[in-house]
Amino acid sequence: MRRRSLLLGGLALLTGCAPGGYRGPERKVTIAAGERGGFYLAFAELLAAEITKAEPDLHGEAVVTEASVANVTQLRDGTVDFGLVLADVAQTAVLGQEPFPAPVPLRALGRVYENYLQVVVRADGPVRDLAGLAGRPVAIGSRFSGAAFLAQRMLTVAGIEVEPSTLLLDDAIAALREHRVDALIWSGGVPTPAISELDRDTPIRLLALDQVLPVLTAVHGPVYEQVRVPSRAYDGVGEVPTIGTANLLACAPSLPDDVAAAVVRVLVNHAADLVPAEAVGAQFLDVRTLIGTGEVPLHPGAVRTYRELHG
């Protein structure tokens, strides 16, 4: 797939099929995203801009957050309209499992792209594989992030105990650069701009995670899959097998149908404008997987719009 490939392959066939348009009252639509320097925020900013451009009465705004777990909380509390949420976190929220004390009735507008779990170490450091993290200081992600959620799951099933710290990405990068941690764990698109910047002055290595994936899926189900970080996504880093998790654009059931429909039309008809410039392509999913949102049902407004788009 080309570097600037469409967010949803094959959507050219659908473009223009639903001329529609939002006819409701003027309003702001907020998208809970992620940390600065990551793909969540880059994607949410593009989506907010395209919503505003396509629907003059909807004013999109991306909101900086700690990502998936925090975004589910904001959706539950009604403080945002949409949130980018990793599929494993969303599944856990819908089922009311830890860290969520009760089921959260999420809905989805679509499965928009693939996240890559990235365990980053210094190229000149001592850690060569996942087992080498045992007993070492590791930045596992910010407290309410999907990265920390998956990192804890992965380390638990692998039987590896580390000295964990929950740092925001910029702080984790500084800690790795300054030898205060031996690894940082991040879940996001490839390449993640902040990690690319780190790699320019502090060469990095990514750890292969294919060995732990079968155990992870045996315990937690098929919400995880093997993906590969492409060769030279980061300078000097070859192809690396890792763990992929789908990213959902989620909302609350109370979201008005016409708002959901308007955003789905933007996802479809403006897909080419929703790919961050840094994307290497394969992480963006095609039309066949857009509606594959697992345990999180599609919002009724999204269901109706997809049916309209399919003719």
Side-chain angles (χ1 to χ4, degrees):
M1 194 176 292
R2 295 189 302 274
R3 181 181 178 87
R4 292 288 298 174
S5 59
L6 294 183
L7 173 65
L8 309 167
L11 290 180
L13 296 175
L14 303 180
T15 301
C17 292
Y22 177 71
R23 297 293 181 264
E26 186 173 0
R27 58 170 289 174
K28 180 167 69 173
V29 289
T30 48
I31 307 164
E35 298 177 47
R36 298 194 185 281
F39 256 53
Y40 272 37
L41 186 58
F43 175 82
E45 288 174 339
L46 290 173
L47 179 58
E50 291 304 317
I51 291 170
T52 303
K53 187 187 305 181
E55 302 286 359
D57 288 328
L58 294 179
H59 308 291
E61 179 183 325
V63 180
V64 176
T65 72
E66 288 188 46
S68 290
V69 177
N71 294 352
V72 169
T73 300
Q74 292 203 47
L75 288 170
R76 181 196 64 196
D77 296 345
T79 57
V80 295
D81 296 298
F82 304 101
L84 292 166
V85 183
L86 287 176
D88 56 348
V89 174
Q91 175 178 287
T92 301
V94 168
L95 297 175
Q97 298 172 344
E98 184 66 29
F100 303 101
V104 181
L106 296 176
R107 297 294 182 267
L109 270 71
R111 173 179 174 168
V112 289
Y113 70 87
E114 191 85 7
N115 271 258
Y116 289 57
L117 189 64
Q118 299 166 63
V119 182
V120 183
V121 299
R122 295 175 61 109
D124 62 0
V127 179
R128 301 285 167 172
D129 55 27
L130 193 63
L133 296 179
R136 295 185 180 276
V138 177
I140 64 169
S142 61
R143 183 181 174 191
F144 298 112
S145 68
F149 180 86
L150 178 50
Q152 290 166 335
R153 278 188 167 184
M154 177 185 67
L155 293 169
T156 297
V157 301
I160 297 171
E161 293 187 9
V162 302
E163 296 178 11
S165 57
T166 52
L167 300 176
L168 293 170
L169 180 59
D170 285 347
D171 296 332
I173 286 172
L176 184 65
R177 183 182 279 122
E178 297 163 9
H179 297 275
R180 290 184 281 115
V181 297
D182 290 322
L184 71 84
I185 300 178
W186 171 254
S187 181
V190 176
T192 293
I195 296 176
S196 292
E197 185 176 344
L198 166 70
D199 190 36
R200 281 193 282 272
D201 61 64
T202 305
I204 64 169
R205 178 186 303 114
L206 299 183
L207 302 186
L209 303 179
D210 51 327
Q211 300 271 329
V212 73
L213 180 61
V215 185
L216 194 62
T217 54
V219 174
H220 296 291
V223 71
Y224 303 112
E225 59 185 334
Q226 182 171 307
V227 294
R228 292 183 175 274
V229 176
S231 179
R232 297 195 64 77
Y234 300 105
D235 288 344
V237 178
E239 184 178 85
V240 180
T242 189
I243 298 165
T245 315
N247 193 346
L248 308 181
L249 182 61
C251 63
S254 58
L255 184 80
D257 284 8
D258 55 357
V259 176
V263 174
V264 166
R265 285 193 295 269
V266 170
L267 288 176
V268 171
N269 294 326
H270 300 266
D273 300 311
L274 298 176
V275 184
E278 301 86 359
V280 296
Q283 63 222 41
F284 292 92
L285 306 179
D286 66 27
V287 68
R288 293 166 298 179
T289 57
L290 178 61
I291 61 174
T293 54
E295 296 288 339
V296 183
L298 285 168
H299 187 284
V303 171
R304 186 181 69 248
T305 306
Y306 286 127
R307 285 175 178 162
E308 291 171 356
L309 292 172
H310 280 286

